[in-house]
Amino acid sequence: MKNNFNNSVKVNSKGHLEVGGCDCLELAEKYGTPLYVLDETMIRNICREYLQSFKKYYDGNGLPLYASKALCCMEMCRIAKQENIGLDVVSGGEIYTALKAGYPAEKIHFHGNNKTVDEIEMAVEAGVGKIVMDNLSEIQRVNNAAEKFGKTVNVSMRIKPGVDAHTHDFIRTGQIDSKFGFALETGEAFEGVKEVLKAKNLNFTELHCHIGSQIFDIAPFVAAAEIMMDFIAKIKNELGHQITELNLGGGFGIKYVDSDKPVAYEKYMEAVSKAIKAKAEEHNIPVPYIYIEPGRSIVGEAGVTLYTVGSVKEIPNVRSYVAIDGGMTDNIRYALYGSAYTVINASKADKDADYKATIAGKCCESGDLVQENCMIAKPDDGDVIAVLSTGAYNYSMASNYNRNPRPAIVMVKDGESRVIVKRESYEDIIRNDI
Ligand SMILES: Cc1ncc(COP(=O)(O)O)c(C=O)c1O
């Protein structure tokens, strides 16, 4: 299986960058910049690769859930529905988007470390498939909501398996010092299980873990799966309750820059399936139905953001700032985590990338940079700059800082393009002002 790294991005006969068969300069001209572009074929292929790997290595006994926090909009929910994958949501807003897009409630799993009572009631009333408990207080809240609506609610518990996935501190969530989930080592998780089992309106079938993001090693995923299977066995042996489903979260790494080496998804599935089956045999418990929650790996590499260069400011012996018409409002990840990206001058994609540029946004923050000291073909004012692998956590983290409207999202496929999220207008910006 291929990793599909920018399969769709190539240099065309005009020397321009092309994505999904569309010339980036023509896209910029037609829709304006900044512009998020998504390659539909790549997104659908990755969904299919995940499903296929479940069939191949786990007898189809599981389901990938698209972690919609990576990029939540109605069209992505429709694609998840059409591709027969589930949906992981983390807020009332994401539930609302999914339901409005006609996504089936029963295939939605609701996460979050502090779901409000309103959000819980919204989820219970809509009949979401699973609510993932994060803490002791929440157990009571979900039980109360279930009672209020006269329902039995299917629940899971998010466990911190204590696996350190060697990733960036800001996005590491597997170990004890994390705001997410119940810790295993301290006994908190076991106490939580007892509480869930006492709750009259909850149907407790699943355990969940998520060990971090942008992970390239298979070993931490296998370690987490084994720890979770041991915990399932402990619950069975000591409390007599059989957990039948295991959710292993997301976190599969993608390629932002050349040095990133993603592992083929099926390699992950092969290793994890083997480990789970071995543990099931060791403990004499049933092989669980499994879920995974890929977010970044479904949309990340499929996204390209296009900008127009407004000016180039060369500061001798310091650096050259290339000012673009977007920035931290549409891509906060460099300012937040120092995230690396591949940047290409889409107008001169056939020219040597021999100019050291710092890509600066238009916001009133010195830290508003998209990338520092990256190599691109020397830009002129008006050139179109493309930042690759920006499908995940870019639009979904976008803001209106400095009252900049959020860009449009355009889906491209086989040389055709269509808007799936409209560009915000100034009218949108003042919509809620009184
Ligand atoms: C519980 C859970 N599932 C899935 C994801 C998606 O992770 P990724 O986009 O790295 O696949 C996250 C990310 O924070 C998460 O917290």
Side-chain angles (χ1 to χ4, degrees), residues 67 69-70 88 90 111 158 171 173 180 208-210 212-214 249-252 293-297 392-393:
K69 74 200 77 177
D88 148 8
V90 293
H111 279 279
R158 179 165 179 169
I171 49 177
T173 53
F180 300 102
H208 171 278
C209 68
H210 170 80
S213 248
Q214 188 60 356
F252 315 108
E293 297 169 333
R296 184 191 315 274
S297 54
Y393 306 108

Side-chain angles (χ1 to χ4, degrees), residues 184-396:
L184 207 53
E185 293 99 308
T186 59
E188 183 193 21
F190 196 63
E191 288 312 305
V193 168
K194 289 190 209 159
E195 286 306 307
V196 177
L197 288 174
K198 275 191 224 150
K200 287 202 305 288
N201 309 302
L202 306 183
N203 179 33
F204 179 37
T205 55
E206 184 198 291
L207 288 185
H208 171 278
C209 68
H210 170 80
I211 58 169
S213 248
Q214 188 60 356
I215 302 169
F216 294 117
D217 289 345
I218 290 179
F221 288 115
V222 170
E226 289 176 341
I227 290 167
M228 296 300 284
M229 286 297 286
D230 289 343
F231 191 45
I232 289 176
K234 179 179 160 77
I235 294 170
K236 170 75 185 161
N237 294 337
E238 297 183 25
L239 302 172
H241 181 74
Q242 186 64 63
I243 296 289
T244 54
E245 300 170 291
L246 177 58
N247 187 330
L248 295 164
F252 315 108
I254 67 163
K255 190 159 193 155
Y256 285 102
V257 288
D258 258 359
S259 53
D260 292 332
K261 305 283 179 227
V263 179
Y265 314 127
E266 67 169 20
K267 289 272 170 250
Y268 157 83
M269 192 49 68
E270 185 181 8
V272 165
S273 301
K274 224 170 112 187
I276 292 176
K277 287 176 186 167
K279 277 288 179 186
E281 204 177 315
E282 177 191 326
H283 293 302
N284 194 25
I285 53 175
V287 172
Y289 187 86
I290 59 171
Y291 298 99
I292 55 169
E293 297 169 333
R296 184 191 315 274
S297 54
I298 288 186
V299 280
E301 289 182 20
V304 174
T305 309
L306 303 179
Y307 304 97
T308 302
V309 175
S311 73
V312 179
K313 200 172 278 181
E314 292 184 346
I315 309 176
N317 304 319
V318 181
R319 60 165 117 198
S320 298
Y321 284 101
V322 173
I324 51 163
D325 52 357
M328 66 193 295
T329 41
D330 58 77
N331 185 352
I332 187 82
R333 293 188 67 256
Y334 187 75
L336 204 55
Y337 314 122
S339 306
Y341 282 105
T342 300
V343 182
I344 298 177
N345 183 342
S347 303
K348 300 182 172 76
D350 57 341
K351 302 278 187 303
D352 285 342
D354 54 6
Y355 186 81
K356 197 188 265 190
T358 287
I359 312 295
K362 69 197 290 289
C363 295
C364 293
E365 278 288 329
S366 306
D368 174 25
L369 305 174
V370 170
Q371 205 62 196
E372 283 178 276
N373 298 321
C374 57
M375 300 307 292
I376 60 171
K378 192 170 192 311
D380 292 304
D381 290 1
D383 278 359
V384 174
I385 295 292
V387 183
L388 307 190
S389 298
T390 48
Y393 306 108
N394 281 236
Y395 168 75
S396 59

Side-chain angles (χ1 to χ4, degrees), residues 66-77 87-103 108-112 114-123 126 128 395-396:
Y66 168 55
S68 67
K69 74 200 77 177
L71 195 175
C72 188
C73 63
M74 302 225 305
E75 185 62 6
M76 276 307 300
C77 295
L87 208 62
D88 148 8
V89 301
V90 293
S91 69
E94 288 184 355
I95 295 175
Y96 187 81
T97 306
L99 296 177
K100 282 284 176 188
Y103 191 88
I108 296 176
H109 291 220
F110 184 26
H111 279 279
N114 190 17
K115 306 165 190 75
T116 65
V117 170
D118 283 353
E119 286 175 319
I120 291 169
E121 291 188 353
M122 178 185 186
V128 305
Y395 168 75
S396 59

